[in-house]
Amino acid sequence: MKRKLIIIGSALGILFLAFFLAGMFASQKKPPFQRPEVDNTKTVETKKVTYQTIQTDVVSFGRVETAQSLDLLSEVSGRMFQGNIRLKEGQRFKKGDLIFYIDDTEPALDLKSQKSNFLRDLAGILPDMKVDFSNSYDTWNSFFNSLSVDKKFQPLPEVKSEKEKIFLATKGIYSTNYTIKSAEARLAKHRYYAPFNGSIMEVNLQSGSFINPGTSIGKIMRTGVHELKVSVETKDIPWIIVDSPVQIYSDEMGQSWQGSVTRISDFVNQNTQSVDVFIAIDSQGKKIYDGQFFQAAIPARTINNGMIMPRNAIYNGNEVFVVEDTLLKTKAINVIRLADEEAIVSGLDKGEDLVVEPLIGAYHNMVVKKREQKDIDLEIGDTQEASDAGQSPTASN
């Protein structure tokens, strides 16, 4: 009996010890990790709707072209020689310089022969005019005395009667005079004088070459007068106004110029699929080279009551999201002008919270939060950083 009591007591002791140890170990066990609840509400960036007057620009690129260039073509035949400047590419000249001339010995002698014949014919009719047209004799005699085969003939005196006109016509005075005028005009074509200040762009023939009418001798360009041809998309052409001022830049040279729109093409350039706009450049004494690549900012029309927003925040062509309380709302807008990255719009109420970032999977009445934008006070931030470093914020080395 005693032995049974000992066995039962031992069993109860072991059982009690097991429960005690189990409770002690259970109290030392760490509770399972519980993840904090995550707020899955989408955060969006917004901007208050405000309207203002916006001056729009059309930015484009193009190459500089000379505003005036001429092909040197011969109108007569003969041996060609350079004038008082060298007939070389890059050679500069001034207005009035003789660029080239064609040997005119033979046509000059032929002209003198015609003038001599005219003087002979005129001398032969002066006695008859003294008798039949005494009122006009002094005028024609003075005209005869002023003529010289080495000088350009002056216009014929005016006739005082129909009878006098018939008399001169029958003597061949008019026909001979016009023949001489034609020969003088043709002789002048043997010499080419520079019509402006410029330089030679091309030379196709050397001095001493024999040329025929229509032969290309070279090409000249006017210096100091340039224009910029830029390609503008057809959608931007209605915004450009002729004679509007233009700001021109050169990243390569680090310079800028003023210009103005001179003309706009009426057709699409097949190479660029854009419309060519021509801008006159005011060089302002700065050197400009033909063929340079420039950027032009053309002021377009002014937009009243417009707002600039990112273009990628517009959906379906004319819809945007606004935030009302905590809900996204879809609203239609009036798109005034589209650029590569921005758009000018209207049609929203002032003060609305416009979403200015693209949203994926967003929908009407979706619950969102507006992203808080904290303004950083740079002065306070610098002061705090200096304090942390143990220095005065105004200290400098």
Side-chain angles (χ1 to χ4, degrees):
M1 184 67 181
K2 183 177 180 180
R3 184 180 178 187
K4 290 182 179 180
L5 293 175
I6 294 172
I7 294 172
I8 294 172
S10 298
L12 292 174
I14 292 172
L15 184 62
F16 175 78
L17 180 62
F19 277 108
F20 175 77
L21 292 175
M24 183 180 66
F25 289 139
S27 63
Q28 293 179 351
K29 185 179 179 180
K30 294 182 180 180
F33 175 77
Q34 294 183 353
R35 294 182 178 274
E37 294 184 1
V38 179
D39 186 1
N40 293 323
T41 305
K42 190 175 185 63
T43 303
V44 297
E45 182 180 353
T46 62
K47 181 179 180 181
K48 291 291 185 182
V49 175
T50 58
Y51 294 115
Q52 58 184 338
T53 300
I54 302 173
Q55 175 62 57
T56 61
D57 288 333
V58 176
V59 179
S60 187
F61 301 86
R63 293 193 178 277
V64 176
E65 298 179 350
T66 178
Q68 188 174 2
S69 61
L70 295 176
D71 292 322
L72 301 179
L73 300 176
S74 171
E75 297 184 72
V76 295
S77 61
R79 190 76 60 184
M80 183 271 295
F81 301 95
Q82 69 181 22
N84 53 14
I85 64 169
R86 293 188 303 167
L87 202 59
K88 299 291 183 181
E89 292 183 7
Q91 177 65 44
R92 296 183 180 181
F93 53 81
K94 295 182 179 180
K95 183 178 180 179
D97 286 345
L98 178 63
I99 297 180
F100 71 90
Y101 70 94
I102 300 172
D103 182 30
D104 59 356
T105 303
E106 184 177 347
L109 292 175
D110 184 64
L111 176 59
K112 288 184 178 182
S113 176
Q114 295 181 43
K115 287 182 176 180
S116 298
N117 292 334
F118 181 78
L119 288 174
R120 181 198 60 194
D121 296 340
L122 188 58
I125 66 171
L126 284 178
D128 294 334
M129 293 196 69
K130 187 174 183 179
V131 176
D132 299 332
F133 307 100
S134 56
N135 292 336
S136 302
Y137 172 76
D138 292 338
T139 302
W140 283 94
N141 187 56
S142 298
F143 173 71
F144 174 78
N145 293 329
S146 66
L147 297 179
S148 172
V149 294
D150 295 323
K151 297 180 181 179
K152 186 177 181 179
F153 276 11
Q154 299 297 319
L156 295 176
E158 294 185 4
V159 296
K160 297 181 179 180
S161 65
E162 189 68 22
K163 184 179 179 181
E164 180 183 349
K165 182 178 179 180
I166 295 173
F167 173 74
L168 294 173
T170 56
K171 297 299 182 179
I173 300 299
Y174 288 120
S175 62
T176 305
N177 178 70
Y178 289 128
T179 301
I180 292 173
K181 292 296 183 184
S182 176
E184 287 178 338
R186 188 167 186 81
L187 182 63
K189 295 178 180 179
H190 284 71
R191 295 177 179 269
Y192 187 87
Y193 296 91
F196 43 66
N197 296 336
S199 61
I200 299 176
M201 298 178 62
E202 298 177 7
V203 176
N204 301 325
L205 296 174
Q206 297 299 321
S207 179
S209 302
F210 186 87
I211 59 177
N212 293 311
T215 302
S216 175
I217 299 173
K219 189 173 184 179
I220 61 175
M221 60 171 286
R222 185 173 184 175
T223 56
V225 180
H226 296 85
E227 65 180 12
L228 182 66
K229 183 174 76 171
V230 299
S231 299
V232 178
E233 295 183 23
T234 53
K235 65 181 180 63
D236 289 330
I237 289 297
W239 293 86
I240 300 178
I241 303 173
V242 176
D243 295 330
S244 60
V246 180
Q247 191 73 24
I248 302 169
Y249 307 91
S250 171
D251 294 335
E252 179 184 1
M253 301 179 66
Q255 294 180 330
S256 63
W257 295 265
Q258 297 293 327
S260 61
V261 178
T262 56
R263 61 190 188 277
I264 302 173
S265 295
D266 293 328
F267 56 89
V268 174
N269 189 318
Q270 296 301 316
N271 296 326
T272 62
Q273 290 300 306
S274 301
V275 177
D276 293 332
V277 176
F278 298 88
I279 303 168
I281 305 175
D282 182 5
S283 63
Q284 300 172 342
K286 303 175 185 176
K287 185 64 177 177
I288 298 177
Y289 297 96
D290 192 54
Q292 281 186 293
F293 195 72
F294 286 168
Q295 175 183 353
I298 308 173
R301 296 179 180 176
T302 301
I303 298 176
N304 296 319
N305 297 323
M307 178 180 178
I308 301 176
M309 67 170 294
R311 180 173 178 173
N312 57 10
I314 300 176
Y315 304 90
N316 301 326
N318 67 336
E319 292 183 349
V320 295
F321 286 115
V322 297
V323 178
E324 295 182 0
D325 294 331
T326 58
L327 299 179
L328 275 183
K329 298 292 184 180
T330 304
K331 287 196 172 183
I333 58 172
N334 176 30
V335 180
I336 303 174
R337 183 166 184 255
L338 290 175
D340 292 337
E341 298 181 357
E342 295 179 334
I344 301 177
V345 302
S346 64
L348 297 175
D349 295 333
K350 291 183 180 180
E352 285 190 291
D353 292 316
L354 172 64
V355 178
V356 290
E357 64 173 330
L359 301 179
I360 300 176
Y363 51 88
H364 188 70
N365 285 334
M366 177 179 175
V367 178
V368 295
K369 293 191 303 182
K370 293 187 292 184
R371 181 176 297 133
E372 295 183 1
Q373 298 181 352
K374 297 182 179 180
D375 296 332
I376 300 176
D377 191 329
L378 297 180
E379 184 176 353
I380 295 176
D382 292 342
T383 304
Q384 183 64 38
E385 290 178 3
S387 299
D388 294 340
Q391 297 180 354
S392 171
T394 58
S396 60
N397 293 329

